[in-house]
Amino acid sequence: MLSNSNTPSTPTWLDLGSNDVDASTAFYTELFGWTARSAGPDSGGYVFLELGGKMIGGLGPNMEPGADGAWTPYFGTADVETTSKSVEMAGGTVRMPAMDVMSSGRMAQYTDPTGAKFAVWQPLEHTGFQVVDVPGSVSWVELQTHDGPVAIAFYEAVLGWTVTPNPIGPDMVYNVVSLPGGAPTGFAGIMADTQFPAVLWNPYFEVADCDATFAKATALGASALMGPETMPGIGRMAQLTDPLGARFSVIATEAPAQQG
């Protein structure tokens, strides 16, 4: 589960780089009931995505011409420059050096050694998520990679994560990410499979009804990649590609079993 406490090394923000901001805004606001609010005249077209007046993420123009749109998770950091040095020492690439985002905070963007793109956020006025884990907000992020050991070693070195393997089948392990001494349920996952069509960080948005949201998304022009299907003890989920090529998942999390 995520938290809006925005603790360093945990997910603190999520945004979408889109090749058509207006079309992406129309799709997601219709699908999840979000509202979009301009981040200001100097923001380059960036908008804050809000649920009930609370920020759940952002959306702006894709800064990589020719690439599909993509969601990027931001992990908290106390010092962007220090994190950038750690990324390079661990074999990653600094795609966008540390920079100020007006008076909101500081950021940098990276590519891990397996090819997945992510970012970090050092907060000033903007601390990150204002709501998580409720329908219409982010509840999980998952790395889908071709090389699990390399990815795990990288993020352990850079962000200080504890990664716990959990077998979910005869040939599949789901790695749960937490902070040392943190809740065993974690806040992110790492899955490795050489058959994944792309290496990326995939966000999960909590929904009240997975099947209804899946049907609405495809009616709005999204393409189905997986599901809906039920994972016992976790919930019912589906993975999609939005009309402009960005991957995301929806999940109706299973309520914890009551202790008798």
Side-chain angles (χ1 to χ4, degrees):
M1 301 290 284
L2 297 189
S3 168
N4 60 359
S5 63
N6 298 314
T7 304
S9 295
T10 69
T12 61
W13 192 244
L14 180 78
D15 66 18
L16 173 66
S18 172
N19 293 321
D20 187 330
V21 170
D22 289 341
S24 292
T25 301
F27 172 79
Y28 285 102
T29 54
E30 178 67 19
L31 180 61
F32 292 122
W34 297 340
T35 55
R37 176 173 59 87
S38 171
D42 299 322
S43 66
Y46 195 89
V47 298
F48 291 122
L49 300 169
E50 299 180 336
L51 179 69
K54 295 182 178 181
M55 290 188 286
I56 61 90
L59 193 161
N62 190 355
M63 297 302 171
E64 299 185 51
D68 285 339
W71 286 99
T72 300
Y74 290 67
F75 301 101
T77 180
D79 188 290
V80 174
E81 281 81 2
T82 298
T83 302
S84 293
K85 291 177 183 176
S86 296
V87 165
E88 293 181 321
M89 289 179 62
T93 302
V94 178
R95 290 184 8 260
M96 180 184 291
M99 61 175 287
D100 292 321
V101 183
M102 297 178 283
S103 59
S104 296
R106 289 174 59 72
M107 64 169 285
Q109 295 196 3
Y110 313 116
T111 303
D112 76 22
T114 74
K117 299 174 181 179
F118 71 104
V120 294
W121 181 256
Q122 180 181 338
L124 293 173
E125 292 179 357
H126 174 58
T127 57
F129 293 129
Q130 293 179 335
V131 61
V132 294
D133 296 332
V134 301
S137 69
V138 188
S139 62
W140 192 254
V141 293
E142 177 182 275
L143 174 63
Q144 298 177 356
T145 181
H146 296 157
D147 194 328
V150 167
I152 290 169
F154 171 80
Y155 289 102
E156 287 178 333
V158 171
L159 296 175
W161 289 350
T162 293
V163 180
T164 304
N166 288 277
I168 57 174
D171 300 308
M172 181 66 69
V173 172
Y174 195 89
N175 299 285
V176 176
V177 175
S178 61
L179 295 181
T185 51
F187 52 77
I190 297 175
M191 285 192 70
D193 190 331
T194 57
Q195 300 304 309
F196 282 139
V199 173
L200 50 76
W201 277 98
N202 175 49
Y204 283 71
F205 297 103
E206 188 69 31
V207 295
D209 185 321
C210 179
D211 293 74
T213 304
F214 178 84
K216 186 174 184 179
T218 53
L220 290 170
S223 300
L225 294 174
M226 182 202 79
E229 63 181 49
T230 298
M231 293 290 290
I234 299 173
R236 189 158 176 82
M237 64 189 73
Q239 186 174 7
L240 304 111
T241 300
D242 76 18
L244 292 165
R247 293 170 184 255
F248 70 100
S249 291
V250 295
I251 183 169
T253 302
E254 185 175 310
Q258 296 295 318
Q259 300 296 317

